[in-house]
Amino acid sequence: MQQNIKASLPVVLGLLTAIGLFAIDMYLPALPEIGEGLHAGSGAVQASLVSFFVAMALSQLVYGPVSDMIGRKKPLYFGLSLFSIGAVGCALSPSIEWLVGFRALQGVGACAGAVICRAIVRDLFTGVAAAQLMSRLLLVFSVSPILAPLAGSGVTLAASWRAIFWVMVLAAAIGAVLVTLRLPETRSEEARSQSSIGSALASYGTLLRDPYYLGLVLIASFGMASYMIYVANSSFVLIEHYGLSPGLYSVVFSMNAVSFIGASQMNGRLSRRFGLRRLIRFAVAGFALASTALFAAFASGFGSLPVLSALLFVAYGFLGMVIPTSAVLALESHGRIAGTASALMGTLQFVTASSVIGVASLFFDGTALPMVTTIAACSLMVLFLAALTLRPAAAARPAEERP
């Protein structure tokens, strides 16, 4: 029985983590239809994404320490319950204001899976083994950008955009069953007894004073922001600007996930051969090169849908190596407070993504250039942070010497 649970762990953790992404990707093809149905403009509809991101960002600060204090499973049940309530509210929303509010409630619930599953990985493994498990987790996690938009298009065509949220309720119910049957408690009684509200606050202070941890977290944060800006704008750019149907949009959108999956699955092998830090430096350089080439093409008037798709495919492939590897390194020296460290990581990721989306939305003109410009700017920030954080002097410090 224990062997079966261990074998299914990447699938369970991947599905629990993917619930939040599923809640984003599945309704992307329906964003224009939601705007029409609720008589709202594109900016107001995008606010439902921003409210989701902000809620996820702030709520993680609570879930992390609580999971350190009472264990990993109870907060997961609570989060899945809130996610379901929010989904029901979204399905019944009479206006865009109600939808934005219930999407925020969904975000409060969805972040439980994201923050706690990272902590569970750190509870069980470190180093290359953690990178391998994180990559296997991402294999399941990354199926969401492929299947969710296709499922969302199918549900919208068969019923309406409101039916998408009823599917999310079903996904949360499946998640709760998996937590019950296939997820062991990985936070020991002894570790829980050493955690408290006071120690959580002290732990946040420790993390905020650790430049190595913060540098790695911000590398992942701006990498995630570059993806989220595509998530927020892709349906309007690809459907309204390039004229794709919702079904074809889903296919084009999912191509990036295929690249992300393929690259992330090489993490274990590559990190064993070259080391985690060397792998990040290589992947960051590739990500920045592909993203800036994309910007240069559009800025010089040579941008097109094939160019956009091809260069994003390459860029997000490199990003598939950056995000999981930087997360493993950031948590490696903070196993005692893995939940809290994972929470702050998630908060900074979503605050960064929300801020980038908010700023970029001010310049959105219906074309791909503002989106492409923002992606390139994020990639250059990632390159700068990697050069600063992974300097030999900083990277060579043993874990026990870091604050």
Side-chain angles (χ1 to χ4, degrees):
M1 181 67 176
Q2 286 297 108
Q3 186 65 31
N4 290 336
I5 290 177
K6 184 177 180 179
S8 64
L9 190 61
V11 176
V12 175
L13 295 181
L15 290 174
L16 290 171
T17 306
I19 283 179
L21 189 59
F22 184 80
I24 298 169
D25 294 337
M26 190 176 182
Y27 94 138
L28 289 178
L31 287 182
E33 185 176 328
I34 291 174
E36 291 180 14
L38 297 179
H39 309 291
S42 61
V45 176
Q46 284 186 342
S48 65
L49 274 173
V50 174
S51 69
F52 188 90
F53 293 154
V54 171
M56 284 194 73
L58 298 179
S59 301
Q60 291 189 58
L61 293 173
V62 177
Y63 279 110
V66 167
S67 75
D68 283 342
M69 286 186 279
I70 68 174
R72 311 301 188 199
K73 295 185 69 170
K74 291 179 182 178
L76 278 173
Y77 286 126
F78 180 77
L80 290 168
S81 299
L82 280 187
F83 179 84
S84 298
I85 294 170
V88 171
C90 289
L92 302 176
S93 292
S95 67
I96 190 63
E97 290 80 13
W98 281 100
L99 181 69
V100 170
F102 278 115
R103 285 290 286 174
L105 184 62
Q106 263 198 307
V108 173
C111 75
V115 64
I116 294 173
C117 288
R118 282 194 302 265
I120 290 173
V121 171
R122 180 56 187 82
D123 287 342
L124 300 173
F125 301 102
T126 59
V128 174
Q132 283 185 300
L133 178 56
M134 194 75 78
S135 295
R136 292 177 65 192
L137 185 156
L138 281 171
L139 177 61
V140 181
F141 173 81
S142 299
V143 169
S144 177
I146 298 175
L147 298 183
L150 293 172
S153 297
V155 171
T156 302
L157 290 173
S160 72
W161 64 265
R162 295 181 185 274
I164 290 174
F165 293 101
W166 293 113
V167 176
M168 293 181 191
V169 175
L170 176 61
I174 294 173
V177 172
L178 289 173
V179 172
T180 301
L181 300 179
R182 291 290 176 179
L183 187 64
E185 177 56 64
T186 60
R187 182 75 169 172
S188 68
E189 289 283 354
E190 180 183 359
R192 280 179 257 174
S193 67
Q194 297 172 359
S195 300
S196 64
I197 295 176
S199 67
L201 294 176
S203 297
Y204 278 128
T206 297
L207 294 169
L208 290 171
R209 291 191 302 271
D210 184 349
Y212 184 75
Y213 166 85
L214 289 176
L216 288 163
V217 167
L218 289 174
I219 287 170
S221 297
F222 279 97
M224 182 67 73
S226 74
Y227 177 73
M228 289 304 179
I229 193 66
Y230 178 67
V231 168
N233 290 276
S234 60
S235 61
F236 296 103
V237 170
L238 298 183
I239 295 175
E240 296 185 353
H241 180 61
Y242 287 112
L244 300 185
S245 66
L248 188 54
Y249 158 77
S250 300
V251 174
V252 173
F253 181 86
S254 66
M255 288 173 56
N256 297 316
V258 173
S259 174
F260 191 92
I261 290 172
S264 68
Q265 293 316 293
M266 295 189 296
N267 275 0
R269 183 181 305 171
L270 292 174
S271 60
R272 279 196 303 272
R273 183 171 180 180
F274 300 107
L276 295 176
R277 295 174 183 85
R278 189 176 177 187
L279 177 60
I280 290 183
R281 286 194 291 266
F282 165 76
V284 162
F287 173 52
L289 181 62
S291 299
T292 51
L294 178 62
F295 167 74
F298 274 82
S300 58
F302 292 99
S304 64
L305 181 57
V307 170
L308 178 69
S309 301
L311 287 175
L312 281 180
F313 183 87
V314 175
Y316 288 143
F318 283 113
L319 191 63
M321 301 179 192
V322 173
I323 291 179
T325 309
S326 58
V328 168
L329 282 175
L331 295 178
E332 194 166 34
S333 58
H334 295 292
R336 184 180 58 82
I337 52 171
T340 304
S342 176
L344 185 58
M345 175 188 297
T347 295
L348 290 175
Q349 284 181 355
F350 278 92
V351 166
T352 302
S354 300
S355 300
V356 168
I357 291 173
V359 172
S361 67
L362 300 175
F363 302 95
F364 182 72
D365 59 4
T367 70
L369 184 57
M371 177 182 75
V372 165
T373 302
T374 308
I375 291 171
C378 287
S379 74
L380 292 175
M381 180 60 73
V382 168
L383 184 65
F384 169 75
L385 288 166
L388 194 65
T389 304
L390 299 175
R391 302 188 321 273
R397 287 185 303 160
E400 61 268 21
E401 290 182 10
R402 295 177 198 137

